[in-house]
Amino acid sequence: MSDFLIIGGGVIGMMTALQLADAGQSVTLVERGECAREASWAGGGIVSPLYPWRHAAPVSRLSRWSEGFYPELSLRLLEETGIDPEYRQKGLLYLRVEDEEQALGWARNAGKPLERVGPEVIYAKEPAAAPGCDQALWMPTLGSIRNPRLGSALRARLAAMPRVTLREHEAVIGLERDASGAVVGARTQGGLVTAQRVIVCGGAWAAQLLESVEVTLPVRPVKGQMILFKAPPGLVQRVVLMDGRYVIPRGDGRVLAGSTLEETGFDKATTHEARESLWQSATQIVPALADCEVEHHWAGLRPGSPEGIPFIGAVPGVENLWVNAGHYRNGLVLAPASSRLLVDELLGREPILDPTHYRLEGRLGE
């Protein structure tokens, strides 16, 4: 029997397993498919909320802590696994921001570098950006990471750790309780998996898992579609955001464009309408992308929650059960801080920040 059973092998589940194993705990991680192949793979990899000044303060607190952790994590995983998560800190250009004064006020209060710039800076940074922009906001510290490679690196590291057992392609049917009502494990397609404590990191599927212990978690799937351009290296150098849509460059020149927000339940089908909408947005941001092949089009399911504030902590009234879910559009952004906050609680350590706003007490059934 492991010390901990983690249900869900996305970046949050895997980062939780990594931190627990680093602390000497034994961990079993169960994943219904392949690790990091759901929302963790499907997102864009921007290591910041898109418009951070528009988010609730609890989201911003997690984001600030996580942003400083990614460079260290990326270097660690490269050294340990040989897989480069490709963390890039090239900054972000915000074009056509309606609430600039609010953004600049937020930056002053948060101590973040964010400034209004003119066309000479815009086109020095991104010569191929939409023509005719006379001003923009520039955030030089923003980073991005190649999330499929991050997922691969985390999985490779966990697979090499003797205290971690990975069980992929093993769907959880329900949580298992003893006669007292305490959770003692999970029943999967492969049988019963037991542990001293159980953590649900199931993303958009977290609410379904908690239904088996009669807990209603207000987390729902929200579909997002994206496309990938095969662009020449250097066409786009940094993240550019306009009218809620963005382009994200990769080290090999490819450019991601996203994303949609769709309330379609657990339907992950891609649509022609979304592809055309994404193509139009991307080619408005960088017109030269119109000459580039669309190499891939996919969809993922985000775990939507009230105000995008994740649920982190023990499940009230159910012994031995914890949750880390509901990060909405910011799962990758918030993963380091949210997993660290939960591990601090589980191991009785001083928390990195006040956990009150993330606890489940008073928030279930919102």
Side-chain angles (χ1 to χ4, degrees):
M1 177 187 293
S2 295
D3 296 319
F4 293 93
L5 167 62
I6 297 174
I7 302 172
V11 292
I12 291 168
M14 288 196 291
M15 285 190 191
T16 303
L18 179 64
Q19 293 181 49
L20 287 169
D22 282 343
Q25 306 296 306
S26 60
V27 181
T28 298
L29 188 152
V30 177
E31 163 56 39
R32 61 195 288 273
E34 297 178 23
C35 286
R37 292 293 296 183
E38 287 290 349
S40 299
W41 183 90
I46 302 174
V47 187
S48 170
L50 294 182
Y51 295 94
W53 56 90
R54 299 176 186 173
H55 287 268
V59 174
S60 296
R61 294 186 192 108
L62 291 172
S63 173
R64 283 198 297 271
W65 195 94
S66 293
E67 188 174 347
F69 185 77
Y70 265 113
E72 173 189 331
L73 176 64
S74 184
L75 288 172
R76 171 190 174 172
L77 293 173
L78 174 60
E79 183 65 26
E80 290 178 332
T81 70
I83 301 171
D84 185 1
E86 294 186 13
Y87 176 80
R88 295 160 50 94
Q89 189 172 315
K90 296 285 190 178
L92 184 151
L93 275 171
Y94 292 93
L95 307 181
R96 296 209 305 232
V97 177
E98 295 180 354
D99 51 354
E100 279 193 359
E101 292 305 321
Q102 181 182 341
L104 293 168
W106 166 85
R108 287 191 294 270
N109 291 333
K112 293 287 291 184
L114 181 69
E115 61 178 320
R116 185 183 287 116
V117 297
E120 67 285 352
V121 174
I122 297 171
Y123 298 107
K125 298 293 184 187
E126 288 297 328
C133 294
D134 57 3
Q135 70 178 39
L137 294 180
W138 164 238
M139 183 184 288
T141 56
L142 182 131
S144 64
I145 200 159
R146 197 161 186 168
N147 41 306
R149 295 183 64 85
L150 172 65
S152 295
L154 283 167
R155 187 197 178 284
R157 177 58 189 145
L158 292 176
M161 300 180 83
R163 292 183 177 275
V164 177
T165 301
L166 294 179
R167 298 177 64 153
E168 295 180 300
H169 303 288
E170 190 167 345
V172 171
I173 300 168
L175 300 172
E176 189 76 9
R177 306 173 84 167
D178 64 14
S180 72
V183 171
V184 295
R187 192 162 296 281
T188 77
Q189 292 172 329
L192 180 63
V193 184
T194 59
Q196 295 292 332
R197 288 180 277 185
V198 177
I199 309 167
V200 173
C201 300
W205 290 265
Q208 289 185 336
L209 292 167
L210 291 184
E211 285 176 359
S212 65
V213 290
E214 300 175 341
V215 172
T216 300
L217 187 73
V219 171
R220 70 192 191 284
V222 181
K223 182 162 71 173
Q225 299 187 50
M226 297 186 70
I227 58 175
L228 177 70
F229 290 89
K230 186 177 182 180
L235 176 63
V236 182
Q237 290 291 324
R238 49 193 48 78
V239 181
V240 185
L241 181 61
M242 185 172 74
D243 302 333
R245 295 279 178 87
Y246 52 81
V247 295
I248 307 171
R250 298 306 197 202
D252 57 10
R254 287 175 169 82
V255 176
L256 280 75
S259 67
T260 64
L261 283 171
E262 304 171 59
E263 300 277 357
T264 59
F266 286 94
D267 171 25
K268 288 202 304 179
T270 57
T271 65
H272 175 75
E273 292 78 12
R275 184 188 186 280
E276 287 302 303
S277 175
L278 291 166
W279 188 91
Q280 290 290 342
S281 296
T283 56
Q284 286 176 10
I285 297 170
V286 177
L289 287 173
D291 298 323
C292 300
E293 173 193 355
V294 174
E295 200 170 40
H296 193 31
H297 174 203
W298 68 94
L301 298 177
R302 310 175 184 91
S305 61
E307 295 188 83
I309 301 173
F311 296 88
I312 306 171
V315 177
V318 185
E319 190 177 350
N320 299 340
L321 182 62
W322 280 260
V323 168
N324 197 348
H327 298 73
Y328 195 29
R329 303 187 75 178
N330 295 310
L332 191 82
V333 176
L334 307 181
S338 64
S339 57
R340 172 64 182 270
L341 188 62
L342 182 60
V343 171
D344 285 345
E345 178 181 338
L346 291 166
L347 301 184
R349 303 186 308 207
E350 183 72 20
I352 55 170
L353 48 84
D354 184 356
T356 304
H357 298 288
Y358 314 101
R359 289 175 175 156
L360 281 70
E361 290 87 346
R363 299 181 62 208
L364 296 181
E366 290 182 7

